[in-house]
Structures are given as structure tokens and as C-alpha cells.
């Protein structure tokens, strides 16, 4: 009987860890989706300027 209870405890721990990882993964997907919103004209220009500065430094 003691082994049976320990097995249930292990199964519960694995389920909790798996559930926690699922929640973390889903929340990270939604967080990235917020970052993928369209940029305003000024934001787009600033991002292009940053890219051009990086390219000029490298090459």
C-alpha cells in the first residue's frame, strides 16, 4: 500500500511540473504575440535606423 501511494505522489508531481511547463509555454507565446503588433511610422523608422547602424559597423 505504501508503494502505491508513493507512485501516486510521483505521478502527481510529474503532472504538476508538466502543467507548469504548459502554462509557461502558452504565456510566452501570448507575450510574443503582443510584441508582434504593427509599428507606428516613427517606431518603424527608428528600427530601420538601428538596423542600418548595425550594418555600417559590421561592414
Amino acid at each position: 500500500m505504501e508503494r502505491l501511494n508513493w507512485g501516486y505522489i510521483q505521478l502527481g508531481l510529474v503532472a504538476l511540473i508538466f502543467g507548469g511547463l504548459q502554462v509557461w509555454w502558452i504565456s510566452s507565446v501570448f507575450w510574443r504575440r503582443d510584441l508582434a503588433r504593427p509599428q507606428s511610422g516613427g517606431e518603424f523608422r527608428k528600427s530601420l535606423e538601428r538596423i542600418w547602424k548595425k550594418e555600417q559597423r559590421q561592414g
Side-chain angles (χ1 to χ4, degrees):
M1 190 68 173
E2 189 67 30
R3 288 183 185 168
L4 182 65
N5 290 337
W6 178 240
Y8 282 130
I9 291 171
Q10 288 177 331
L11 183 62
L13 288 173
V14 169
L16 283 173
I17 291 169
F18 180 75
L21 287 173
Q22 289 292 313
V23 168
W24 171 76
W25 178 68
I26 291 171
S27 65
S28 69
V29 167
F30 283 121
W31 184 73
R32 271 189 249 137
R33 187 175 294 164
D34 288 341
L35 293 178
R37 66 172 174 71
Q39 292 180 337
S40 69
E43 290 173 336
F44 183 68
R45 182 177 176 178
K46 287 179 185 177
S47 66
L48 284 178
E49 288 174 353
R50 250 184 278 127
I51 291 170
W52 289 331
K53 286 180 184 177
K54 285 181 186 177
E55 287 179 359
Q56 288 176 354
R57 282 188 230 143
Q58 292 176 355

